[in-house]
Amino acid sequence: MDLDQLRTAIALLRHRTVNKTAAAQGLAASSISDRVRRLEAELGAPLFLRDRAGMHPTAAGRAYLLTAAAALEALDDAAGQLRAGPGLVVGAQASIAGELLPSVLDELRQARPELQVQLRPDPDRDRLLAALGHGEIDVAVLLDAGEHIGGLGFSDPASDLEHLDAREVAMTVVAPPDHPLLGRPVTMAEIQRSGGLVGREPRCSFWMATRRWLGPDVGLTAVGGLAQVREWVATGRGVALLPEFAVRADLDSGRLEAVDVQAPPLRLRLIWREDHPGVSELRPLLYALTQA
């Protein structure tokens, strides 16, 4: 089937008259009629009725052309994706996706403008790693610790995963501006005794980092998302261990203050399947993560 003939018939259905269709397609009116006749001959059925007023679609012709239009649109979309070049689906925990990855994606667009990147944020680390295992995403970006995946305290869901650490992520203990721990060096023991430690929830990387740093028995109160944790701290209801990138604006504005204590950093970790067919496409993402 000649797709140009089909597109012309669809255009005639849309524009209703031969002259309007000819103008829209940059063709002579006789060419419009000729293309439609050739298509009807190939299909073995009329698409339009002819009379002195012009050409009018038959009921069956209208149904056929509407279906064909939808099919051509799907083909055009597929062709556009094919021409767009390689793609990369990046899964990331919500805090990373919201606070860190926008600048990373800016770096990627500059370095590889042909690389189509889709960001898929998810607050649940387990869902991200499951999606990675099922091939639904190409790479997961997580905060972790240690030499192996899951060193922060979560389980490594598969043995066929590879990883690279893009860089260290500075962690900081934040408190409200008038907190008694501010203005002097503080020890871990003082943080433990201070009480009022708040976090998101037990599966959160920041929660796991706090327990890794201060011990599994340290008291922590779950208050919800990252915004809620910052709000609790800012209103004097506790202190929290959070990534510096997540509280930078609060520190710059004076809404929160950094406690003078050495907090071990986490690692910004890029994780993918060993059998991923486009490992070379991960390199620009890794580079952008190191520059963000």
Side-chain angles (χ1 to χ4, degrees), residues 150-163:
L152 186 58
F154 59 89
S155 299
D156 178 1
S159 59
D160 60 346
L161 298 179
E162 292 188 2
H163 75 278

Side-chain angles (χ1 to χ4, degrees), residues 260-274:
D260 186 2
V261 61
Q262 293 297 316
L266 294 181
R267 297 179 181 182
L268 189 63
R269 184 159 284 175
L270 198 70
I271 307 172
W272 67 93
R273 289 171 47 178
E274 289 180 357

Side-chain angles (χ1 to χ4, degrees), residues 68-193:
L72 281 178
E73 184 176 357
L75 285 174
D76 290 341
D77 288 345
Q81 293 175 13
L82 184 63
R83 290 190 297 268
L88 193 65
V89 182
V90 179
Q93 288 177 274
S95 57
I96 299 173
E99 303 285 343
L100 187 62
L101 285 188
S103 60
V104 171
L105 296 182
D106 288 342
E107 289 281 344
L108 273 176
R109 291 187 191 100
Q110 293 180 14
R112 292 285 301 277
E114 82 285 0
L115 182 62
Q116 304 296 308
V117 180
Q118 177 184 349
L119 180 59
R120 186 176 299 180
D122 195 315
D124 191 312
R125 182 194 309 102
D126 293 336
R127 279 203 302 264
L128 279 175
L129 291 174
L132 186 63
H134 296 149
E136 298 169 9
I137 61 176
D138 297 303
V139 59
V141 184
L142 307 175
L143 292 176
D144 204 355
E147 300 302 317
H148 305 287
I149 300 172
L152 186 58
F154 59 89
S155 299
D156 178 1
S159 59
D160 60 346
L161 298 179
E162 292 188 2
H163 75 278
L164 281 174
D165 292 334
R167 61 183 177 88
E168 289 189 337
V169 174
M171 302 292 289
T172 183
V173 176
V174 290
D178 58 351
H179 199 277
L181 290 176
L182 297 174
R184 58 185 176 84
V186 174
T187 65
M188 285 194 294
E190 288 180 279
I191 297 289
Q192 289 172 317
R193 292 194 302 267

Side-chain angles (χ1 to χ4, degrees), residues 58-78:
T58 65
R62 177 184 295 276
Y64 172 80
L65 290 174
L66 289 175
T67 301
L72 281 178
E73 184 176 357
L75 285 174
D76 290 341
D77 288 345

